[in-house]
Amino acid sequence: MEGLIKYWSVSADDLLKQVRSTTDGLTNEEAKHRLDTFGPNLISPKNNYNFSRLLWAQFKNPIILILVFAAVVSFFLHDTSTSIIVLSIILISGLLGFWQEYKAMNAVQKLTSLVQVKATLSRDGSLQEIPVEEVVPGDIVTLRAGDLLPGDSLILESKDLFVNEAALTGETFPVEKSAGVLDAAVALNQRTNTLFLGTHIVSGSGKAVVVHTGLSTEFGKVARELVLRPPATEFEVGVRKFGYLLLEVTLTLVITIFAINVFFNRPILDSFLFSLALAVGLTPQLLPAIISVNLARGASHMASSKVIVKRLSSIENFGSMNVLCLDKTGTLTEGKVHLHSALDIEGHENEKVRLYAYINASYETGYANPIDDAIRNQRQFDITNYTKLDEIPYDFVRKRISILILKDDSQLMITKGALPNVLAICSSAEKPSGEVIRLDLIRPQIERQYEELSQQGFRTLGIAYRIFKPPVLINFESEVDMTFLGILVLYDPPKEGIIETLADLRQLGISLKVITGDNKLVATSICSQVKISTEGVLTGSELHETSNEAMLHQVNVTNVFAEVEPNQKEQIILALRKTGNVVGFLGDGINDASALHAADVGISVDSGMAVAKEAADIVLMAKDLKVLVQGVQEGRRTFANTIKYVFMAASANFGNMFSVAGISLLLPFLPLLPKQILLTNLLTDFPEMTIATDTVDKEFVQKPRRWDIKFIRNFMITFGILSSLFDFLTFSLLLLVFHADMDLFRTGWFVESVVSAALIVLIIRSRRSFFKSRPSSYLIITTLCVAAATIFIPFTPLGKIFGFVPLPPIFLLLVMVIIGVYMMLAEITKKIFYSHVAF
């Protein structure tokens, strides 16, 4: 639809003809055809974990590609067997990683489909809920408060439709939209008949025809210039730093070993292949696959606890999270608001206050909320004689909503909202007798009443009115010189069992911070009831006066933030992150989207607004903090098993490569052939593939864990050197006792290296003693099978292909003794290591 650049200057009827649509929308068949033509409605490409892309990902490592090239060169130099074996091992290793990741990604895609954001479209003559990515030009979309705009669209009809366009224009206040034709030259922020992708409905309802989708939209044009990529998670940063560490170690060792072999006049090609094979051996090739499998398994487990993961890497952050920010309503409280009373300015029950509140709640067209439900449901009035004329929707800056009605030729504007915000626009007040007096005469009494009710945990709303001479329509400037009528008193009790749940979260090492738009006194009261410390409560107005430096300190010592604006939620979260915290934010409203984006872990609920679900990393199928507790525990188990692989691979590989570097100085031949190194790497990968199934010690789940590169480096050096000591003991046995020739030496070291690397996994997988932390059955079985297969390979035809020879039984017995001593000493080393280093 590129020819429809200035569609806002075209009438609705003409535009429908141009996009070949009608007010009844498209057929599903036509929509499918257009989806094929225009492509998915996406700003950034969706992760399509298809066969070819995942398979290629296993082999695009530069070291692997160089090794393949070298193997091909070797083939042309008539070393055919080595070339075929090297390529075969690379292929097998890649296929194993591919299969693991492919299964994991398929499982995750099934889970994320449960929380797709959908648009309400007219298809085949009826309203249907269709995933936003399948919206196409010509679709007719029905809109209501909280909906995301699924594409750039022209309004066909609207009713009090207000849209938040801050993501596109930066405009703070919602913009009113309506059908019509505008001049072709009108600026984007003045196109009142147009809706844009990336914005969302604040209040009202409407219907529009979609003109542009995906990268053809205004938002998409910006995205083309600014490559949109989600900020790296805490976990992803850790993986990257670990990669840098390995790169440094790999380059140092490989270059050193290559130089040594060249210095001793060993064949250049063999030395080059040998060095590359060592690089592959040192690199934990399966790390991407292990991470994917661990995350997918964690996502599946979390789904069984009613926690759906949209962004896999956020699982690790979920486990690392040490601060959780949450709203009060519906999280700490039941979320079912009860209307306790409707009071006049003297504190007595008042029928007129209740009636005016009912009229306001009945005619507002904003998003559904429990307060208006409580007002409408507790008692109903006959308001058939009242006709709605106009509306100023609620927003999170004004914190009030105004409705203009017509009654007996008189126009009446009724305003409902946060009590201080309503009082701020009033100049008079009405007594129970109907007498209107100056507000300043009664204001101290109203404020005292407000304070007393708030201290008791009641939520309060102010009701005010203003009479206009017809005809008139209202806007923000109309909310002045109003008459204050009374106070609505509402009550939302704490959730049953919430105190115990919060205690469970604290035991997991998570600090809780409440961020709410409610007034300070109500927030303090509710937090006190649920045992959240209320020392040093900060309000939104106080935050405005706080410098950036002071805020970095305040956010860490404050547990309750009250009377905050939506943008302040984001500021609080960013400040917490800057001071080194991993921050989660639980929100489900229209005003929570920016805070969800800012958090390390954005958490929403399936019943929340579309804009909140879209911004979240994790979606709860039930708004229950007990579900969060289970999710955090699962996140930590997932992190534990991922970090186990890092410990195992890094320490074992570093030890082997260190041994190679040392023994290369003493031998007149290569200690292992390239194909033997690759086989060693492949066999040791098998036990580590099952690590996702391993059990996790309880103490690892009890507090947040984060990537610690210094700890990993110390672990790698300590256990790598320990491994290398027993390698050199094996070398001594082979050279000094058995006077091994080249083939026997390589065979003996291959067996010792693989068996010890496989069995040591059972020791270093936990900081506990082997006898107090039982590995999973899959890990034990795989480890024993690999050890047995390694011992028997030299006695098989496969062993001959790889250049191995049968080993003397006495050597095998002595190697088993060496490995047994190695495992016992590893247990002792582990105990000493963890007593000096915390993780």
Side-chain angles (χ1 to χ4, degrees):
M1 303 290 171
E2 290 299 326
L4 303 174
I5 301 298
K6 298 180 179 179
Y7 58 91
W8 55 90
S9 63
V10 179
S11 70
D13 290 340
D14 288 342
L15 184 64
L16 286 170
K17 290 176 185 176
Q18 291 183 51
V19 298
R20 302 189 308 280
S21 185
T22 69
T23 53
D24 292 328
L26 305 172
T27 63
N28 279 317
E29 185 179 350
E30 173 63 17
K32 185 177 184 301
H33 172 71
R34 294 191 185 194
L35 187 62
D36 292 336
T37 302
F38 295 102
N41 182 25
L42 298 169
I43 293 297
S44 54
K46 189 175 181 180
N47 288 328
N48 291 317
Y49 297 102
N50 55 43
F51 187 95
S52 56
R53 183 176 298 186
L54 266 185
L55 189 59
W56 165 241
Q58 311 305 314
F59 302 102
K60 67 180 183 180
N61 183 309
I63 297 175
I64 295 291
L65 294 177
I66 294 172
L67 191 56
V68 170
F69 173 75
V72 172
V73 171
S74 181
F75 176 82
F76 284 105
L77 294 177
H78 308 296
D79 190 357
T80 307
S81 61
T82 296
S83 178
I84 292 174
I85 291 169
V86 168
L87 291 174
S88 298
I89 292 176
I90 291 172
L91 180 62
I92 292 170
S93 180
L95 288 175
L96 285 172
F98 159 76
W99 180 244
Q100 293 275 335
E101 284 201 77
Y102 188 71
K103 288 195 302 180
M105 293 306 102
N106 278 341
V108 170
Q109 285 187 327
K110 289 178 183 177
L111 291 176
T112 53
S113 66
L114 297 175
V115 289
Q116 281 182 319
V117 175
K118 297 182 178 182
T120 304
L121 305 178
S122 297
R123 293 267 183 96
D124 285 335
S126 63
L127 292 181
Q128 298 180 25
E129 296 289 319
I130 304 293
V132 167
E133 66 192 56
E134 296 178 19
V135 173
V136 295
D139 263 325
I140 305 299
V141 56
T142 298
L143 300 162
R144 55 186 180 274
D147 284 351
L148 285 166
L149 272 302
D152 287 1
S153 315
L154 183 74
I155 297 173
L156 300 178
E157 57 184 67
S158 65
K159 182 181 181 184
D160 302 314
L161 187 64
F162 283 78
V163 180
N164 184 319
E165 294 186 332
L168 192 63
T169 66
E171 175 61 45
T172 303
F173 289 101
V175 179
E176 187 169 12
K177 298 280 187 171
S178 59
V181 179
L182 300 175
D183 187 270
V186 72
L188 183 143
N189 63 352
Q190 296 175 340
R191 294 175 200 165
T192 56
N193 65 346
T194 308
L195 304 170
F196 301 105
L197 181 74
T199 65
H200 63 267
I201 307 297
V202 174
S203 63
S205 58
K207 186 181 286 188
V209 56
V210 176
V211 181
H212 296 303
T213 58
L215 289 173
S216 297
T217 62
E218 296 293 340
F219 201 74
K221 291 172 187 175
V222 176
R224 286 177 185 173
E225 299 174 12
L226 306 172
V227 179
L228 295 180
R229 185 181 184 278
T233 65
E234 167 82 11
F235 176 73
E236 289 167 334
V237 171
V239 172
R240 192 183 306 141
K241 289 180 178 177
F242 175 62
Y244 293 150
L245 172 65
L246 282 181
L247 182 63
E248 292 172 10
V249 175
T250 301
L251 287 175
T252 302
L253 281 176
V254 169
I255 292 171
T256 302
I257 292 168
F258 179 69
I260 290 171
N261 283 292
V262 171
F263 179 78
F264 284 110
N265 296 316
R266 290 161 193 164
I268 295 290
L269 181 61
D270 283 351
S271 298
F272 182 58
L273 274 171
F274 178 68
S275 299
L276 287 176
L278 284 177
V280 173
L282 183 59
T283 305
Q285 278 176 276
L286 282 181
L287 183 59
I290 295 293
I291 289 174
S292 296
V293 171
N294 273 331
L295 295 179
R297 186 178 177 85
S300 298
H301 285 174
M302 289 168 73
S304 64
S305 301
K306 298 183 179 180
V307 179
I308 305 299
V309 179
K310 288 177 58 188
R311 186 180 177 191
L312 272 186
S313 56
S314 63
I315 294 180
E316 308 283 7
N317 277 358
F318 210 20
S320 302
M321 179 176 69
N322 67 310
V323 175
L324 175 62
C325 300
L326 40 84
D327 192 11
K328 174 183 67 64
T329 305
T331 306
L332 301 179
T333 63
E334 292 287 351
K336 298 176 182 176
V337 179
H338 305 277
L339 180 58
H340 181 269
S341 54
L343 308 177
D344 57 35
I345 62 174
E346 295 178 358
H348 304 122
E349 274 285 348
N350 188 285
E351 198 72 1
K352 188 174 180 179
V353 174
R354 196 179 289 269
L355 170 63
Y356 277 28
Y358 182 83
I359 293 170
N360 181 286
S362 298
Y363 284 126
E364 67 91 15
T365 57
Y367 59 95
N369 65 85
I371 291 176
D372 285 328
D373 288 342
I375 294 169
R376 288 191 294 260
N377 296 336
Q378 186 166 49
R379 182 179 166 189
Q380 296 187 348
F381 292 84
D382 181 6
I383 56 172
T384 53
N385 293 329
Y386 296 89
T387 303
K388 179 183 173 182
L389 300 176
D390 201 3
E391 175 178 2
I392 310 174
Y394 182 89
D395 65 63
F396 297 96
V397 177
R398 290 165 43 254
K399 295 185 179 179
R400 53 183 179 257
I401 178 173
S402 295
I403 303 291
L404 182 67
I405 59 169
L406 178 66
K407 172 69 163 58
D408 299 333
D409 298 325
S410 176
Q411 287 188 334
L412 175 69
M413 183 176 75
I414 301 173
T415 299
K416 174 179 96 264
L419 187 56
N421 299 58
V422 171
L423 282 174
I425 56 173
C426 292
S427 59
S428 59
E430 182 180 308
K431 298 179 71 173
S433 62
E435 179 188 356
V436 176
I437 61 174
R438 292 202 334 263
L439 179 64
D440 55 5
L441 297 176
I442 195 72
R443 186 166 190 145
Q445 183 178 327
I446 296 171
E447 291 176 341
R448 234 182 354 261
Q449 191 176 353
Y450 163 69
E451 193 170 317
E452 289 171 2
L453 290 167
S454 297
Q455 286 175 343
Q456 296 171 45
F458 289 113
R459 187 170 182 177
T460 55
L461 295 178
I463 301 291
Y465 68 89
R466 181 182 176 188
I467 298 172
F468 291 93
K469 292 179 181 180
V472 69
L473 292 179
I474 56 176
N475 53 35
F476 294 122
E477 286 72 32
S478 304
E479 293 178 334
V480 293
D481 292 328
M482 299 194 70
T483 301
F484 186 79
L485 185 62
I487 300 174
L488 285 182
V489 183
L490 304 135
Y491 182 59
D492 184 10
K495 274 187 177 177
E496 186 178 349
I498 188 66
I499 295 175
E500 292 77 11
T501 304
L502 295 179
D504 290 341
L505 285 168
R506 289 191 197 94
Q507 285 182 349
L508 291 172
I510 298 174
S511 300
L512 300 169
K513 297 187 183 293
V514 176
I515 307 177
T516 177
D518 272 357
N519 79 69
K520 178 178 179 178
L521 297 173
V522 173
T524 302
S525 174
I526 293 295
C527 289
S528 296
Q529 291 177 52
V530 298
K531 310 299 183 188
I532 292 178
S533 173
T534 56
E535 290 183 17
V537 179
L538 266 180
T539 64
S541 57
E542 291 169 338
L543 284 173
H544 274 305
E545 304 298 322
T546 304
S547 67
N548 291 334
E549 294 76 16
M551 191 171 181
L552 294 177
H553 168 73
Q554 289 289 349
V555 292
N556 282 296
V557 297
T558 303
N559 292 326
V560 182
F561 301 87
E563 303 169 22
V564 298
E565 298 168 9
N567 65 312
Q568 290 179 321
K569 293 184 180 182
E570 181 182 8
Q571 291 169 7
I572 292 166
I573 289 165
L574 290 175
L576 284 165
R577 290 186 64 186
K578 283 180 182 176
T579 54
N581 297 292
V582 179
V583 185
F585 176 74
L586 174 58
D588 62 356
I590 294 174
N591 61 324
D592 292 326
S594 59
L596 287 164
H597 276 299
D600 290 291
V601 190
I603 309 163
S604 191
V605 293
D606 191 45
S607 58
M609 293 294 171
V611 65
K613 285 165 62 176
E614 177 65 18
D617 302 305
I618 291 173
V619 177
L620 309 182
M621 303 307 283
K623 194 171 185 179
D624 188 348
L625 291 185
K626 289 179 183 176
V627 172
L628 269 183
V629 172
Q630 296 167 349
V632 168
Q633 291 172 332
E634 191 58 49
R636 291 182 184 176
R637 291 188 192 100
T638 304
F639 180 78
N641 283 335
T642 303
I643 210 74
K644 281 179 192 178
Y645 173 77
V646 171
F647 288 166
M648 296 168 189
S651 58
N653 293 352
F654 176 76
N656 285 340
M657 299 312 105
F658 189 74
S659 301
V660 170
I663 199 64
S664 293
L665 296 170
L666 306 175
L667 296 176
F669 53 83
L670 292 175
L672 282 176
L673 294 173
K675 59 187 177 184
Q676 294 168 343
I677 292 175
L678 292 175
L679 180 62
T680 299
N681 194 43
L682 178 64
L683 288 172
T684 54
D685 277 342
F686 278 103
E688 291 160 355
M689 279 182 181
T690 64
I691 202 66
T693 68
D694 196 24
T695 54
V696 176
D697 301 335
K698 288 181 180 179
E699 57 266 25
F700 201 99
V701 180
Q702 287 307 306
K703 67 176 185 177
R705 308 278 176 172
R706 300 172 72 171
W707 280 88
D708 186 338
I709 299 301
K710 182 180 178 182
F711 179 89
I712 293 171
R713 185 180 64 243
N714 292 339
F715 191 97
M716 182 172 73
I717 292 171
T718 301
F719 287 91
I721 290 175
L722 179 66
S723 169
S724 193
L725 287 175
F726 284 89
D727 284 341
F728 277 102
L729 184 59
T730 303
F731 298 157
S732 302
L733 183 67
L734 284 164
L735 296 172
L736 302 179
V737 177
F738 288 90
H739 306 289
D741 60 11
M742 180 176 66
D743 290 336
L744 182 62
F745 180 89
R746 289 170 175 168
T747 306
W749 188 33
F750 163 76
V751 170
E752 184 271 339
S753 176
V754 175
V755 174
S756 63
L759 292 176
I760 202 65
V761 166
L762 304 178
I763 303 297
I764 64 176
R765 54 169 287 278
S766 167
R767 64 184 298 163
R768 289 186 186 182
S769 162
F770 170 76
F771 301 102
K772 293 182 179 179
S773 178
R774 188 181 183 278
S776 71
S777 300
Y778 288 110
L779 180 57
I780 292 176
I781 292 169
T782 308
T783 299
L784 294 179
C785 287
V786 166
T790 302
I791 292 170
F792 284 108
I793 282 175
F795 299 93
T796 67
L798 183 64
K800 189 174 182 181
I801 293 173
F802 277 91
F804 295 134
V805 296
L807 291 168
I810 186 64
F811 172 77
L812 287 175
L813 180 62
L814 290 172
V815 164
M816 292 304 107
V817 171
I818 289 172
I819 293 173
V821 175
Y822 171 37
M823 294 180 71
M824 286 189 291
L825 194 56
E827 276 285 2
I828 296 169
T829 303
K830 180 175 70 174
K831 187 173 182 180
I832 296 170
F833 180 81
Y834 280 109
S835 67
H836 289 86
V837 182
F839 180 72

